[in-house]
Amino acid sequence: MTLAAKLEPSPVKRLLALDGGGIRGTLTIEILAVIEDLLRRELHRDQSFVLADYFDYIAGTSTGAIIAACLSLGMPISQVRAFYEANGAAMFDKASLLRRFRYKFEDDKLAAKLRDVFDGFLPQRERERGQQHVTLGSEALRTLLLVVMRNATTDSPWPLSNNPRARYNAPDRPYSNLQIPLWQLVRASTAAPTYFPPEEVVVGKGQSFLFVDGGVTTYNNPAFLLFLMATVEAYQLGWPVGVDKMLLISVGTGTSAGANQNLDPSEMNLLYNAASIPSALMYAALNEQDLLCRVFGRCRIGSALDREVGNLILTDEEAKRSVLPKHFTYARYNAELTRPGLDALGLRDIEPEHVQQLDSVDHIGELQRVGREIAKTVDASHFAGFLK
């Protein structure tokens, strides 16, 4: 199906949201591989069927933006996996000693890889018009796509989509966001502060902004934001809501809350806070997006959020008594990358520190094993009512 077809009214709409998390995106890929296989089987499709044929709107932040863009271009999961396996080390190319005072890794190799992959999908018609890159508005994209960044220049989150009805995508605007190269937006979404340099993007004629990783907004998990951008009037999609009308699948890259039962007040100095506060805020924001989805959606699967609210998976009777109406069907797949979490998955031989870091390229195989274990929880019942 083309993007134009996805924009047309239909009985159901299917959304996919992918978290940020650096090389831990390899964990996400293994979960998506099982989802792709399940859909092929349940819908009686052959190996040419890809997730772009099923989902109408795909969102991603940081590494999730890379995967989301690949999927929206129609890549099968096997190719996305191969891209990460072949280019994982290049994604985290160590910066020179002098530059490491500003950031740990160079971005040139990652930017080049993104250009090569994305621009390989440039349609012939666009080439004939003199276009050199797949842009956000390219016909190469087969689904609606949402990429989350932070505009450091304006100090604000920038969720950009290829929704042709969005205000700043209007074709009559002299400088539409749809003209921005896709590789540059995805590179901007992955520009994690201290890890990579910011990405400078020219929007319009000479209007330049510095962008950094969308993970340093409240949308490292973009699931509830995706729901809003599909339904809120200002975005001019206005897709209908209801547990039988909208499916939202959310896939994480693993969590690892830094619990420390022996923490002493004297340890909470300036250096401690500088190192711990960013990750604490990101972890809280990730859980908030998940919580909102479970409150406003009917959750079919997801681990417990905490010991007070649990997993918020309601029985039919509990759903009938719910004070808040449920606007969509929701499923959340994620892993806990702590020692207890890995033990619960039967992965006692994997050290938590091997799979917790954003740049753990030497342990891609272990991350894939974690993803495959979580993927065992994927079931056709989670997609019931949306398999036609």
Side-chain angles (χ1 to χ4, degrees), residues 129-145:
R129 294 199 296 265
Q131 198 164 304
Q132 296 181 326
H133 302 292
V134 169
T135 63
L136 184 61
S138 174
E139 295 175 4
L141 293 168
R142 294 167 53 180
T143 73
L144 282 168
L145 173 68

Side-chain angles (χ1 to χ4, degrees), residues 169-189:
N169 292 349
D172 57 348
R173 289 182 62 84
Y175 306 109
S176 167
N177 285 340
L178 295 181
Q179 299 171 10
I180 303 173
L182 180 62
W183 74 264
Q184 197 170 28
L185 293 177
V186 172
R187 158 70 188 98
S189 183

Side-chain angles (χ1 to χ4, degrees), residues 55-134:
F55 289 103
D56 301 291
Y57 206 158
I58 303 177
T61 301
S62 193
T63 196
I66 298 177
I67 300 170
C70 289
L71 298 182
S72 186
L73 288 167
M75 289 176 65
I77 292 297
S78 59
Q79 288 185 16
V80 185
R81 181 193 288 122
F83 173 79
Y84 269 72
E85 290 175 341
N87 300 298
M91 290 181 190
F92 294 91
D93 182 32
K94 288 189 181 297
S96 65
L97 288 174
L98 188 60
R99 290 183 175 179
R100 286 184 206 176
F101 287 103
R102 296 171 54 208
Y103 47 83
K104 292 173 64 176
F105 304 104
E106 300 286 3
D107 67 321
D108 295 346
K109 290 185 179 179
L110 174 58
K113 293 293 183 182
L114 293 175
R115 280 197 303 270
D116 290 346
V117 171
F118 294 168
D119 291 350
F121 288 86
L122 187 63
Q124 184 60 34
R125 283 190 296 181
E126 294 179 9
R127 293 181 190 274
E128 292 170 355
R129 294 199 296 265
Q131 198 164 304
Q132 296 181 326
H133 302 292
V134 169

Side-chain angles (χ1 to χ4, degrees), residues 16-47:
L16 174 65
L18 307 174
D19 289 15
I23 201 62
R24 297 201 319 249
T26 53
L27 184 160
T28 299
I29 289 167
E30 296 308 310
I31 298 170
L32 292 173
V34 171
I35 292 175
E36 186 181 66
D37 286 342
L38 180 147
L39 293 174
R40 286 171 177 168
R41 184 172 63 252
E42 294 294 323
L43 295 171
H44 308 289
R45 303 294 181 87
D46 60 23
Q47 295 298 304

